[in-house]
Amino acid sequence: MSAHVPHLIVAALILPAVLGSLTLLLLRHRLDASRLVSLGSCLALVGIAASLTMHASSGAVESYALGNWRAPFGIVLVLDRLSAMMLLLTSVLALAVISYAVVTGADRKGWHFHPLFQFQLLGLNGAFLTGDLFNLFVFFEVLLIASYGLLLHGQGAARLKAGVQYVVINLVGSTLFLMGVGLLYGVTGTLNMADMAVRVSEASPGDQGLIAAAALVLTVVFALKAALVPLHFWLPGAYAATTATVAALFAIMTKVGAYALIRTGTLIFGEDAGTLAWLTGDWMLPAAIVTTAIGFIGLFAARTLRDMAAWSVGGSMGVLLSAVSVFRVEAMGPALYYAVHSTLAGAALFLVVDMIAKRRGAHGDALTVAPRFCQSELLSGLFFLSAIGIVGLPPLSGFIGKLLILDGVRAAPEAAWIWATILITTLIGVLAFARAGSRIFWKSASVEGTIPVRALRGRWGGAGVAGGLLALLAALTVLGGPVTAYTGATAAQLFDPQQYIDAVLGPTAGGRR
Amino acid sequence: MTMELLVASAIAVLTAAGVYLVLRGRTFPVVLGLAFLSYAINLFLFAMGRLVIDQPPIYDKAAEAYTDPLPQALVLTAIVIAFGMTAFVVILALRTYLETGTDQVDGHKDGEAQP
C-alpha cells in the first residue's frame, strides 16, 4: 500500500477542524472568503474520501493510531470499506449542500454557517472513522453540537421550538450512550471496539446479562439518531422547521445512527458473541417495519411539502433498517446501496421543495392550489424525479435498492413482513406524492395569473445542484454493477470481523478462539 | 459494602430525579433534569472502574494496587461536554421564551388546553 494513506485518514478530520476554526477566528465578517474556504474544504474532502475509497476497495483494513499509542491503549481510526463509503457519501452530499447554500444565499441568513458546517463534517467523518467507543461518543457530541447550531440557523419561533425539543432529546440520548459505554467498560475493561469484540466473545456467562443490557441501551441510542419508531418523534418537527439546506445535510445524520447500529451489531455483538449473537436485530426489526409503515403513512398526514420530505426520510430509514436488522450478509449489501441512494434522494427532495416554496410567495410549500409560479415547468420535472427517487420507482436507483433488499431478505424468517411492508408502503408513497404533485403543479396550472417573485438568488444554480444530485441517482442506476459489487464486498467484510480486529490489534493479539 | 450501596443508591436517586424532571412541561425543570442525569452518569462511569479507596491511579513504586484512571478521564470529558451543553440549553430555552412568549417545551401558551 502507499505510504500516504494513513495520513489521508487523519486528514479527513484535521481539514474540517482546522478550516472551521480558522473561518470562525479570522473570516467571521468576510462571507465571500469563508464561502471559498468552505467550498475548497468540501472539494478537498471529496478528493480525500475518493482516494480512501479507492484504497479500501482493495479489501484492506487500515488502522491509524493517534499519537502512535498502540491499540487498545490509544485511540485508533479505522478505515474499512464501510467507513470509506460513508466518508465519500458525506463529502459528496456536503459539496452539494454547500454549493446550494452559496448559490441561493442561504448561508447569509444567520451567523457562522460555514464554521458550523465544517464542524459538522468533522463530527460526521470522525464518527465514521473512529475505532473507539468513547471516541464515537465524543464525535457524536461534536456533530450534534454543530447540528444544534445549524438547525437554529436563521432562527424564528417555530425553529427555536423544534430546536429545544431536538436538543433535549439528543442530550438524553447522549446520557444513555454514556451509560451503555460505561456498562461495557465495566464488563470488558476496554473501549477499543476491536478489543471489546474479543472480550465480549470471551465473556463469562455471569457477565452476559450486563453485556446484553449495554447492547440494548446502545441500540436505543443509535435508534434514536436513526429515528426508529418509537424514537422518531423529533424527526418530522426538526427537519420541517429548519432551513432546507440544513435538512438536506441532515439526510446523512440519520445514517450515522444506522452506521453505528451496523458497526456495533456486526463487530461487537456479531456471530462470535456467543449467546448474545445478533441480539440487537431481534429488537430492531419490528421497530424498523413499523417505522417504514408510519413514515409513508405520515405522507398523507403532511400538509406541506417539507413535512412530506421529512416523513419520507423517516420511512426510507425504516426500509434501510429492516434490511440491516435481519443481519444477513446477502441483505446487508443491498441495505448499504439503499443507504447511499436514500441519502442523496432525500437531500434532493429537500432542495427541490425549498425551491418550490421560495417561488410560491405566501403559499410557500403548503399543499394548496395556487397560481403558476416562475420556473414551474423545470421544478415540476425536478419534483417528479426526486419523488420517483425517494419512493423507489424505476428508472432511478431507489427501485434497484428496494428490489435488491427484497431479494436479500428472502431467506430470513421475517421476509413476509418485510416484503409486505415495503411493497405496500411504496404504493402509499406513490399515491401521496402523486396527490401532492397534481395539486401543486397540475391543478394549479389552470388557475389564472402568476405568482410574482421578489429578487430570487440562484434561480438556475439551485436547480443545477438538485439536478446534480438526481444525476447521481441516475449514475447509481447506470453503475449499479460496480456499486453493488462494492457494497456486497463491504457486507462480506462486515460479517468477517476478524479482519477488522487483526488490523487494529495486530494479527497475533486478535485471535479469538 | 456500605460504600457500594451508598454510591448505587445515589446514582439511582439522581437518575430518578433527572427522569422525572426531564418529563416536566417547562424548560427550566427539563434543564435541571438534564443536569441531574449527567451527574448520575458521571458517578456511574466513575463506579465502572470499580470503587477503590486510597490507591494511586498512576504508577507508584510503593503501590500494591491501583485504582482505574481511565473512568476518571472519561468523567472529565463527560463533565466538560455536559457543562457546555447545559449552558447552551439554558440560552436556547431563554431565547425560545423571549421569542415565543412561553417556556413550555411543546410551545403551548400558558393556560391553553393541552391536547
Side-chain angles (χ1 to χ4, degrees):
Chain A
M1 54 149 272
S2 48
H4 64 277
V5 165
H7 301 291
L8 272 185
I9 298 177
V10 79
L13 303 184
I14 291 180
L15 190 73
V18 170
L19 290 182
S21 322
L22 284 182
T23 321
L24 185 62
L25 289 174
L26 304 176
L27 304 173
R28 54 194 307 182
H29 300 301
R30 299 181 54 193
L31 189 63
D32 289 339
S34 30
R35 283 175 166 178
L36 270 182
V37 170
S38 247
L39 275 172
S41 159
C42 288
L43 266 176
L45 280 175
V46 171
I48 290 173
S51 63
L52 287 177
T53 311
M54 290 289 285
H55 181 75
S57 64
S58 68
V61 183
E62 286 297 329
S63 156
Y64 182 89
L66 291 172
N68 219 6
W69 286 89
R70 271 196 308 133
F73 307 109
I75 290 173
V76 287
L77 302 178
V78 187
L79 177 84
D80 66 352
R81 286 174 192 264
L82 179 61
S83 3
M85 186 185 102
M86 296 308 288
L87 278 189
L88 187 59
L89 177 62
T90 309
S91 57
V92 168
L93 181 71
L95 185 62
V97 170
I98 200 84
S99 317
Y100 185 85
V102 168
V103 293
T104 60
D107 55 345
R108 54 174 83 226
K109 287 204 183 119
W111 288 99
H112 309 313
F113 179 82
H114 292 288
L116 283 169
F117 197 87
Q118 295 300 316
F119 290 133
Q120 176 84 65
L121 291 180
L122 165 69
L124 287 166
N125 287 351
F128 292 137
L129 280 173
T130 186
D132 182 283
L133 204 55
F134 193 78
N135 203 228
L136 182 65
F137 163 76
V138 174
F139 278 120
F140 262 62
E141 287 303 300
V142 171
L143 73 88
L144 284 174
I145 291 169
S147 79
Y148 302 151
L150 285 174
L151 183 78
L152 299 169
H153 179 72
Q155 305 199 344
R159 199 164 293 169
L160 282 165
K161 192 188 106 190
V164 170
Q165 295 169 357
Y166 176 77
V167 171
V168 168
I169 197 159
N170 274 300
L171 285 178
V172 175
S174 306
T175 315
L176 274 178
F177 195 162
L178 278 177
M179 194 177 279
V181 170
L183 269 174
L184 278 175
Y185 178 76
V187 177
T188 63
T190 182
L191 289 166
N192 182 295
M193 291 201 275
D195 197 24
M196 195 175 278
V198 177
R199 305 279 181 99
V200 166
S201 66
E202 292 163 355
S204 66
D207 288 337
Q208 304 259 334
L210 278 177
I211 296 176
L216 294 177
V217 167
L218 286 182
T219 305
V220 168
V221 178
F222 300 146
L224 173 70
K225 313 283 180 211
L228 212 57
V229 169
L231 305 164
H232 68 292
F233 291 102
W234 60 272
L235 185 134
Y239 280 38
T242 183
T243 49
T245 359
V246 175
L249 179 69
F250 279 13
I252 192 86
M253 295 278 285
T254 45
K255 295 341 179 255
V256 182
Y259 165 84
L261 284 169
I262 295 173
R263 177 66 82 206
T264 54
T266 54
L267 179 64
I268 305 176
F269 311 115
E271 60 181 7
D272 290 336
T275 52
L276 302 175
W278 311 122
L279 96 155
T280 54
D282 301 341
W283 293 84
M284 276 156 58
L285 187 60
I289 289 177
V290 179
T291 310
T292 317
I294 289 193
F296 282 100
I297 292 170
L299 288 176
F300 276 120
R303 287 187 203 142
T304 63
L305 283 176
R306 188 80 79 76
D307 281 343
M308 289 187 74
W311 282 108
S312 58
V313 165
S316 68
M317 279 312 289
V319 175
L320 164 61
L321 288 171
S322 313
V324 166
S325 51
V326 297
F327 280 115
R328 284 165 179 272
V329 67
E330 66 271 19
M332 189 62 86
L336 296 174
Y337 179 87
Y338 188 77
V340 175
H341 156 81
S342 65
T343 309
L344 297 173
L349 185 59
F350 272 115
L351 297 185
V352 171
V353 167
D354 181 54
M355 285 187 279
I356 295 173
K358 282 210 181 109
R359 284 159 180 72
R360 293 181 81 215
H363 289 277
D365 59 349
L367 293 176
T368 50
V369 178
R372 298 167 64 82
F373 49 94
C374 101
Q375 288 182 315
S376 58
E377 296 83 5
L378 172 69
L379 283 173
S380 63
L382 287 175
F383 179 78
F384 185 55
L385 284 175
S386 47
I388 284 178
I390 197 84
V391 173
L393 292 182
L396 293 180
S397 48
F399 176 70
I400 301 183
K402 282 193 175 172
L403 199 64
L404 290 172
I405 285 178
L406 292 182
D407 189 44
V409 299
R410 225 170 24 178
E414 305 87 355
W417 287 98
I418 301 177
W419 273 62
T421 325
I422 291 184
L423 292 175
I424 294 173
T425 53
T426 304
L427 178 65
I428 293 176
V430 172
L431 290 176
F433 273 102
R435 188 188 66 143
S438 78
R439 190 170 292 175
I440 287 190
F441 296 105
W442 197 347
K443 290 184 185 157
S444 298
S446 55
V447 178
E448 290 292 314
T450 50
I451 300 177
V453 272
R454 295 160 280 119
L456 200 61
R457 276 176 182 283
R459 187 170 296 204
W460 296 102
V465 173
L469 282 173
L470 292 170
L472 281 176
L473 293 185
L476 268 181
T477 314
V478 176
L479 301 175
V483 176
T484 48
Y486 184 90
T487 55
T490 310
Q493 194 177 43
L494 284 171
F495 281 78
D496 180 21
Q498 196 62 46
Q499 263 188 64
Y500 186 100
I501 294 168
D502 287 347
V504 175
L505 300 177
T508 48
R512 274 200 189 188
R513 282 168 289 232
Chain B
M1 191 61 218
T2 347
M3 182 170 67
E4 277 83 353
L5 187 68
L6 210 62
V7 172
S9 29
I11 296 173
V13 170
L14 280 173
T15 311
V19 170
Y20 175 76
L21 286 173
V22 163
L23 296 175
R24 304 294 292 165
R26 290 175 187 278
T27 47
F28 186 64
V30 170
V31 174
L32 283 185
L34 288 171
F36 272 121
L37 278 179
S38 75
Y39 295 156
I41 288 304
N42 290 343
L43 275 178
F44 177 76
L45 277 181
F46 199 73
M48 279 299 113
R50 305 296 182 268
L51 298 169
V52 181
I53 307 177
D54 281 346
Q55 300 294 345
I58 49 174
Y59 181 68
D60 185 351
K61 269 184 187 160
E64 284 161 5
Y66 293 94
T67 175
D68 192 345
L70 194 67
Q72 307 183 15
L74 301 188
V75 170
L76 199 59
T77 317
I79 287 176
V80 173
I81 292 179
F83 181 73
M85 287 323 302
T86 310
F88 178 75
V89 180
V90 168
I91 294 298
L92 182 60
L94 197 60
R95 186 65 200 262
T96 313
Y97 174 60
L98 294 176
E99 195 107 358
T100 61
T102 168
D103 66 343
Q104 297 277 0
V105 175
D106 47 9
H108 294 292
K109 292 267 187 288
D110 288 333
E112 208 176 84
Q114 304 277 332

